[in-house]
Amino acid sequence: TGFCPIYRGLESLSRTSLKDGLQIEESITVGKPPDQVYALWRRLENLAGFMSHIESVTVIDRHRSHWVAKVTAPLRLEWDAVIVDEQENKKLSWRSLPGSSIDHAGAVLFHSAPGRKGTEVKVILSYKPPAGTAGAAAAQLMSRITKNQIRMDLRSFKAVAETGEKPTA
């Protein structure tokens, strides 16, 4: 039908419009209270520690950050992002800045799990690759970022949040 409630929800949450891109939504329950889970995620430099496709995140200021994604060598995909909506312990939404090599938006929502048994973390991501060489690198990265990959990254986040360590094989 051309209507996707997840896509429309992402546009609403991130206050941006991304057409013809990849949209992913995934959730996990973490056995810690929302304030602790939110605080861990809000320290953006932590994200590279559990997101396998992210090489680094450098915080520029309270709302802006610089991201570097892992793409087949020698290619690197980099972009700057801005937080567009923040509700402490509840929601964090962002989008890439104009001129970035990838058009990206996302939101992460934090809700108390039923029975106060932790925090439900819901991630909604959207990527739209550009044209040209940067587009090819972005498309390659996007092909690696699947719902299953985000699910595994969230499992790593859960382990870090609950135990302080990322699981190793």
Side-chain angles (χ1 to χ4, degrees):
T1 65
F3 176 77
C4 174
I6 295 169
Y7 178 66
R8 296 297 170 239
L10 176 61
E11 286 181 340
S12 173
L13 288 170
S14 65
R15 297 184 185 156
T16 190
S17 177
L18 297 173
K19 300 198 183 317
D20 303 321
L22 173 70
Q23 291 83 38
I24 299 172
E25 179 176 344
E26 192 59 48
S27 299
I28 197 163
T29 300
V30 177
K32 293 286 183 179
D35 61 328
Q36 290 179 20
V37 176
Y38 175 87
L40 180 62
W41 193 289
R42 182 58 179 92
R43 287 188 297 276
L44 301 178
E45 58 275 5
N46 290 336
L47 301 180
F50 66 85
M51 291 182 154
S52 58
H53 60 284
I54 300 297
E55 185 176 303
S56 66
V57 180
T58 305
V59 174
I60 298 168
D61 61 33
R62 178 86 180 136
H63 297 285
R64 293 180 305 135
S65 54
H66 181 78
W67 296 65
V68 179
K70 297 175 185 176
V71 183
T72 304
L75 299 176
R76 289 172 49 133
L77 190 59
E78 300 185 37
W79 67 92
D80 290 329
V82 63
I83 294 172
V84 295
D85 189 12
E86 181 173 8
Q87 296 174 25
E88 191 170 351
N89 303 330
K90 295 183 181 197
K91 179 170 86 169
L92 192 61
S93 299
W94 65 90
R95 64 172 168 76
S96 56
L97 290 171
S100 294
S101 59
I102 188 168
D103 196 358
H104 168 220
V108 60
L109 309 170
F110 305 88
H111 299 284
S112 290
R116 298 191 182 264
K117 300 205 183 229
T119 303
E120 179 186 345
V121 178
K122 178 183 276 188
V123 175
I124 305 168
L125 299 174
S126 180
Y127 294 89
K128 180 182 176 191
T133 304
Q140 184 176 11
L141 172 66
M142 288 171 48
S143 70
R144 292 177 47 201
I145 300 173
T146 63
K147 188 173 179 85
N148 189 48
Q149 182 63 55
I150 297 301
R151 185 177 300 125
M152 289 188 310
D153 288 347
L154 281 173
R155 286 181 185 150
S156 292
F157 174 74
K158 174 183 172 74
V160 169
E162 292 177 350
T163 68
E165 298 180 46
K166 182 178 176 180
T168 57

